[in-house]
Amino acid sequence: MTIHKTSDSSAGPALAGQLARAYATTAPTAALGPLSIPRRNTGPRDVRLQILYCGVCHSDLHTARNEWKNTVYPCVPGHEIVGRVTDVGRDVTRFKPGDLAAVGCMVGSCGTCPSCREGLEQYCENALALTYNTPDAETGAVTYGGYSESIVVNEHFTLRVPAGLDPAATAPLLCAGITTYSPLKHWQVGPGQTVGIVGLGGLGHMGVKFAHALGAHVVLFTTSAGKVADGKRLGADEVVVTTSGDEMTRRARTFDFILDCVSAQHDINAYINLLKRDGTLTLVGAPEDPLPTAAFGLIMGRRRFAGSGIGGIKETQEMLDFCAAKGITADIERIDIQQINQAYDRLLKSNVKYRFVIDMASLDRDPR
Ligand code: NAP
Ligand code: ZN
């Protein structure tokens, strides 16, 4: 692993550790560009990865542009990480140098609250540390994500990459994969059910693959007429282009479960009206602004409107193993880190098939 030794452009205060090359943004409207960031020394329970691939999630873009109003700059996004273990602390038992390993959206939690004790670290009630943009006690800055050459993570938050999975196409499983797998499992999606997936982006395309693999009748809802054939290839039994109002009316009260994976403002009530009595619409998409909900859509039919956040570590490993058993990975477009700003522009236009993944070796193309 190459460690960048310069300190002139580094982010955050000095610490016992090393500087790593990364891509960061410094303001909501700024482009991403090179920055050296601190990475701590490998602690007794830490795993150090040389990052090989990092997926590009729409959450990266929401955060880089401060759409959720909580971004601390400089910001290094990236929480779909696959890498090679280069170093482990003395108490680490599950990883050794040379292993392929992965890191998703979380790097820490309290470990003792009811959610942590149930393996639902993503709902930690005290000290959830996300992979980027969370205060980092060790560095005095915030956590920095996967658009970087390396990362140091507690063993508990490091995942095994099962043999046989393509490393680049596995990276998006660490967020897009688990974020769709977890609610489909929680709401017990399976044979005999009609399940809607809304939005064919990074999350949505994994939602279609998983709902199909779990045996449901899958209906994809898309605003993009050009994605119909892909939707079917990925596992949808039917595809509805939502610009057709008639199609939406015809399907009222026919869905057991709908997973909404949309990143922008849209009419949620149109989907609530598609649910059967006692059906559930679960939001995983996290648009910048609130989504107004009409009371009677929920009241008439005792329908439920729910949310779901990523998935716990145990379930993330289960999802990776499920993918290995079923031969499921993401459909990806590989990019170099230098193309990240154009990738964000395309993400905003719903124009990615269906996840950008950064080949981190491209960092070497930047001047030292
Ligand atoms: P993405 O790849 O950009 O996909 C979003 C899709 O939404 C687009 O491909 C498009 O699909 C549809 N869409 C976009 N604008 C729309 C509009 N104005 N009206 C209707 N549909 C629209 O994004 P992603 O990475 O999958 O992330 C999706 C959302 O999930 C983001 O808000 C992200 O922050 C959030 N997220 C949440 C969690 C969680 O834990 N809950 C985890 C990760 C991400 P079509 O072209 O098919 O219409
Ligand atoms: Zn994500």
Side-chain angles (χ1 to χ4, degrees), residues 28 54 69 119 133 177 190 195 213 219 221 228 261 287 302 326-327 338 340 347 355 365:
C54 184
K69 314 289 182 275
N133 201 45
V195 169
V219 182
F221 294 92
V228 173
C261 306
R302 200 162 56 188
K326 301 268 181 189
Q338 294 81 4
I340 188 65
L347 201 56
R355 197 58 139 187
R365 305 231 174 99

Side-chain angles (χ1 to χ4, degrees), residues 58-59 62 175 200-203 222-224 227 284-286 308 310 355:
H58 208 112
S59 301
H62 289 307
C175 174
L200 196 68
L203 268 58
T222 177
T223 59
S224 306
K227 293 181 183 174
V284 286
S308 183
I310 46 176
R355 197 58 139 187

Side-chain angles (χ1 to χ4, degrees), residues 56-63 67-68 79-80 105 122-123 132 174-180 183 197-206 220-227 239-240 242 260-267 271 282-288 307-311 344 346-352 354-356:
V56 178
C57 179
H58 208 112
S59 301
D60 300 354
L61 190 156
H62 289 307
T63 306
E67 291 176 4
W68 294 333
H79 57 202
E80 296 183 336
C105 304
Q122 77 274 31
Y123 304 126
Y132 58 83
L174 276 300
C175 174
I178 185 60
T179 302
T180 49
I197 305 289
V198 188
L200 196 68
L203 268 58
H205 95 290
M206 291 310 308
L220 166 69
F221 294 92
T222 177
T223 59
S224 306
K227 293 181 183 174
V239 180
V240 175
T242 50
D260 186 318
C261 306
V262 173
S263 53
Q265 212 55 21
H266 60 293
D267 179 14
Y271 295 101
T282 296
L283 206 58
V284 286
E288 181 175 3
S308 183
I310 46 176
Y344 277 17
R346 283 186 51 198
L347 201 56
L348 274 180
K349 292 180 184 143
S350 305
N351 174 20
V352 47
Y354 278 89
R355 197 58 139 187
F356 291 117

Side-chain angles (χ1 to χ4, degrees), residues 162-165 173 213 317-329:
L165 288 180
L173 302 179
Q317 192 64 61
E318 174 193 308
M319 178 273 312
L320 288 168
D321 295 342
F322 178 86
C323 287
K326 301 268 181 189
I328 294 174
T329 51

Side-chain angles (χ1 to χ4, degrees), residues 49-273:
L49 296 185
Q50 176 196 3
I51 299 177
L52 301 175
Y53 298 103
C54 184
V56 178
C57 179
H58 208 112
S59 301
D60 300 354
L61 190 156
H62 289 307
T63 306
R65 301 194 175 172
N66 196 25
E67 291 176 4
W68 294 333
K69 314 289 182 275
N70 66 354
T71 306
V72 176
Y73 295 97
C75 170
V76 178
H79 57 202
E80 296 183 336
I81 298 166
V82 167
R84 183 79 60 193
V85 176
T86 55
D87 189 20
V88 297
R90 62 170 184 265
D91 297 336
V92 168
T93 57
R94 293 187 299 118
F95 297 93
K96 60 179 188 319
D99 288 349
L100 263 189
V103 177
C105 304
M106 300 180 283
V107 292
S109 73
C110 81
T112 56
C113 73
S115 295
C116 283
R117 282 205 303 267
E118 285 178 52
L120 297 168
E121 300 91 341
Q122 77 274 31
Y123 304 126
C124 174
E125 291 145 42
N126 300 313
L128 177 63
L130 297 174
T131 305
Y132 58 83
N133 201 45
T134 295
D136 184 337
E138 285 213 43
T139 65
V142 289
T143 51
Y144 295 121
Y147 298 2
S148 170
E149 65 185 330
S150 66
I151 193 164
V152 183
V153 178
N154 183 293
E155 175 181 33
H156 180 78
F157 292 90
T158 309
L159 287 307
R160 281 181 292 101
V161 176
L165 288 180
D166 174 68
T170 294
L173 302 179
L174 276 300
C175 174
I178 185 60
T179 302
T180 49
Y181 180 87
S182 182
L184 292 172
K185 292 291 281 192
H186 181 77
W187 275 277
Q188 297 172 356
V189 160
Q193 294 182 357
T194 301
V195 169
I197 305 289
V198 188
L200 196 68
L203 268 58
H205 95 290
M206 291 310 308
V208 168
K209 289 187 186 204
F210 285 140
H212 174 74
L214 293 169
H217 181 86
V218 183
V219 182
L220 166 69
F221 294 92
T222 177
T223 59
S224 306
K227 293 181 183 174
V228 173
D230 278 350
K232 291 194 173 152
R233 175 179 61 79
L234 294 166
D237 298 286
E238 301 177 75
V239 180
V240 175
V241 179
T242 50
T243 42
S244 158
D246 288 354
E247 268 291 294
M248 298 295 276
T249 312
R250 190 171 74 74
R251 290 169 189 270
R253 295 184 294 279
T254 60
F255 282 80
D256 298 281
F257 182 79
I258 298 177
L259 190 65
D260 186 318
C261 306
V262 173
S263 53
Q265 212 55 21
H266 60 293
D267 179 14
I268 201 76
N269 301 297
Y271 295 101
I272 289 174
N273 290 334

